[in-house]
Amino acid sequence: MARVVFTQNIQRHVACPASEVAGSSVRAVLDAVFEANPRARGYVLDDRGALRKHMSVFVDGDRIADRVGLSDPVPEGAEVYVFQALSGG
Amino acid sequence: MGRRLLVATRKGLFTIERSGSGAGWEVVGVAFEGDNVPMTLADPRDGALYAALDHGHFGSKFHRSGDGGSTWEEVAVPVFPEQGPEDVETHPFTGQPQPWALDKVWALEPGGPEEAGVLWCGTIPGGLFRSGDGGRSWALVETLWRHPSRKAWFGGGADRPGIHSICLDPRDPGRLMLGVSCGGVWATDDGGASWDCRASGMFAAYMPPEHKDDPNIQDPHRVVRCRDEPDCLWAQHHNGIFRTTDGASSWHEVASDRVPSTFGFAVAVHPEDPDTAWFVPAQKDEKRIPVGGKVVVTRTRDGGRSFDVITAGLPQRNAYDLVYRHAMDVDDRGEVLAFGSTTGSLWVSEDSGDSWLAVSEHLPPVYCVRFSA
């Protein structure tokens, strides 16, 4: 199981509570989260299922390398953080 | 006459109403306060309101209200289909791969009066989407998306090309005309089964000479269609003002020397009179500001042979208001007009543009102004 935590910033638009899900890759973990919370998918991933341009995912403190395929491994017991770079005015 | 306006801005969707006493117009409500609202629509068929939101990090979303804006529900947003290996495309200038993914909602229009629930949405990149259920689901119009000429379109102000104008023919909702920046004017007469580019007569001075007259690279900033004379359309083009009276088979430039400038984005056409249209000019493409710091509306009532330059009620010094392509509208009788600017000013005219009243000078940057029944 992995623990998935979402940025506070997204909660204003769609509730994304922290959750424990199964999966050994970022794709598998996020798919599991979005299966239970389908509206959240479009807020994090784009039409292709790639990570949105200004979103970031960290696994146990390391930024993932594969932003399109989301193939980075997720070890058992890992913490997955989904957040965004703040910008704008 | 129009008494209620939806004003979509960088930081919220505002409702503006004319007070019952006739004393003036005022902001009566705001939805999505603080959020970026690039597009809105009041559906004249069922009164539903739509708002496109651009959350930046979190992408574009659509919301719908069935109760006049008291409550909103998130509905579906257009999603491009999966891009197969044979669908790989690159940017015509940079060579960068172009993913099939929504950047921005850029146009939203209702289908025909008898087509309940039908909506058309234009996007960046240049996709046209159709909903048959009030925005609860969307389908890409693949005939246009897969038209070989589509790949020659390129971005104007945005990095990628997009569809910003969708003009239904009131006589037949299967006849649609699209304005594309930069891809000219595209039309279907069979509900989207087939498409052709209809921008002959437009020219693009910014292109190399051999491409200047290519219909498929023209940059009509905004295209509008006369309701009662649908074969007449007006285009505020990057290079000036163009008009067609034959359903876009041919376009011609009008009165290029009669107005302070023929550069701009917004255009509105009188719903009954195809010879009457309004514009809000800016200096030129390199200087997108009012000429001389004076905000003016230009109006023709003779098909573009002459223009009135209207200043009454508009700031005539130190004004830097730019009016975007969707930020001007005219009511269904051609009497009441409204436009909003990048510096948060909103003006209304109740005398077909003869004089203007500032409703607010402190709104967020205005993207879209539309009358709501």
Side-chain angles (χ1 to χ4, degrees):
Chain A
M1 300 291 278
R3 176 176 160 80
V4 185
V5 179
F6 287 85
T7 168
Q8 188 60 35
N9 204 270
I10 202 173
Q11 312 291 343
R12 188 164 71 85
H13 306 297
V14 51
C16 294
S19 58
E20 302 270 344
V21 294
S24 59
S25 69
V26 172
R27 174 72 70 197
V29 165
L30 289 183
D31 277 351
V33 172
F34 296 144
E35 194 178 333
N37 188 1
R39 198 161 72 87
R41 175 185 296 272
Y43 283 77
V44 176
L45 306 180
D46 70 11
D47 307 35
R48 305 169 293 158
L51 201 58
R52 286 194 175 279
K53 187 174 169 185
H54 297 295
M55 297 297 289
S56 261
V57 173
F58 277 58
V59 178
D60 284 339
D62 293 327
R63 188 166 57 195
I64 64 168
D66 181 5
R67 296 176 53 86
V68 176
L70 306 180
S71 61
D72 293 57
V74 175
E76 179 63 27
E79 284 216 312
V80 178
Y81 277 88
V82 180
F83 67 105
Q84 84 294 329
L86 284 173
S87 66
Chain B
M1 65 178 261
R3 302 180 68 93
R4 189 165 188 252
L5 283 165
L6 296 179
V7 179
T9 78
R10 178 67 182 79
K11 296 175 194 252
L13 174 65
F14 295 83
T15 303
I16 315 283
E17 285 183 359
R18 188 181 196 275
S19 61
S21 64
W25 295 71
E26 59 186 354
V27 176
V28 297
V30 56
F32 311 108
E33 191 175 35
D35 289 332
N36 187 1
V37 189
M39 176 52 57
T40 187
L41 169 69
D43 191 330
R45 299 166 301 182
D46 61 3
L49 307 182
Y50 294 88
L53 273 62
D54 183 348
H55 289 310
H57 306 93
F58 306 125
S60 293
K61 313 296 170 202
F62 262 127
H63 291 250
R64 179 183 193 277
S65 175
D67 58 11
S70 298
T71 61
W72 295 82
E73 63 165 328
E74 185 174 340
V75 289
V77 74
V79 174
F80 280 87
E82 190 173 348
Q83 192 170 11
E86 71 283 5
D87 297 324
V88 169
E89 54 186 277
T90 55
H91 192 285
F93 294 166
T94 67
Q96 293 291 312
Q98 297 297 290
W100 289 9
L102 179 68
D103 286 345
K104 184 183 175 71
V105 168
W106 218 16
L108 183 64
E109 298 293 343
E114 309 304 321
E115 297 180 306
V118 172
L119 299 170
W120 296 95
C121 179
T123 67
I124 299 175
L128 177 69
F129 290 82
R130 182 184 186 276
S131 173
D133 54 12
R136 291 176 179 85
S137 66
W138 293 93
L140 177 66
V141 177
E142 299 238 5
T143 45
L144 180 62
W145 182 249
R146 293 186 180 278
H147 195 292
S149 295
R150 196 267 305 167
K151 289 184 182 175
W153 298 354
F154 60 86
D159 287 343
R160 305 177 72 183
I163 296 169
H164 49 66
S165 299
I166 301 171
C167 307
L168 255 72
D169 187 333
R171 301 165 298 194
D172 178 355
R175 294 161 62 104
L176 289 172
M177 205 88 74
L178 311 178
V180 185
S181 290
C182 304
V185 176
W186 280 75
T188 179
D189 294 332
D190 52 19
S194 63
W195 294 88
D196 64 302
C197 184
R198 295 185 197 163
S200 295
M202 292 181 174
F203 62 85
Y206 46 85
M207 290 297 284
E210 60 271 29
H211 294 294
K212 176 169 162 276
D213 299 312
D214 179 353
N216 197 39
I217 55 81
Q218 298 299 319
D219 186 9
H221 287 172
R222 178 77 171 138
V223 180
V224 293
R225 187 171 209 156
C226 179
R227 183 193 64 200
D228 293 353
E229 296 282 345
D231 288 333
C232 177
L233 295 95
W234 289 83
Q236 171 62 68
H237 183 284
H238 193 91
N239 279 131
I241 296 167
F242 291 82
R243 182 178 190 241
T244 175
T245 55
D246 57 13
S249 294
S250 64
W251 293 82
H252 62 274
E253 191 187 22
V254 303
S256 59
D257 57 347
R258 302 274 183 93
V259 292
S261 158
T262 55
F263 182 83
F265 293 92
V267 48
V269 59
H270 196 294
E272 298 161 359
D273 175 10
D275 288 341
T276 295
W278 298 263
F279 303 83
V280 188
Q283 188 165 332
K284 58 193 297 198
D285 45 2
E286 303 98 313
K287 281 187 183 280
R288 300 174 179 206
I289 55 175
V291 179
K294 305 172 197 292
V295 175
V296 305
V297 170
T298 57
R299 177 185 60 197
T300 178
R301 291 193 279 200
D302 55 11
R305 283 186 291 279
S306 67
F307 281 81
D308 306 317
V309 179
I310 297 159
T311 61
L314 300 172
Q316 295 304 295
R317 58 195 296 265
N318 301 327
Y320 289 88
D321 299 81
L322 182 69
V323 178
Y324 283 153
R325 70 193 81 230
H326 301 115
M328 181 162 66
D329 199 14
V330 57
D331 77 342
D332 59 5
R333 293 168 61 175
E335 292 174 357
V336 186
L337 290 98
F339 70 97
S341 79
T342 52
T343 47
S345 299
L346 179 75
W347 291 281
V348 172
S349 170
E350 296 186 351
D351 51 16
S352 298
D354 285 339
S355 64
W356 296 84
L357 170 75
V359 176
S360 175
E361 293 164 328
H362 306 289
L363 293 172
V366 174
Y367 294 146
C368 181
V369 172
R370 295 187 104 149
F371 282 99
S372 161

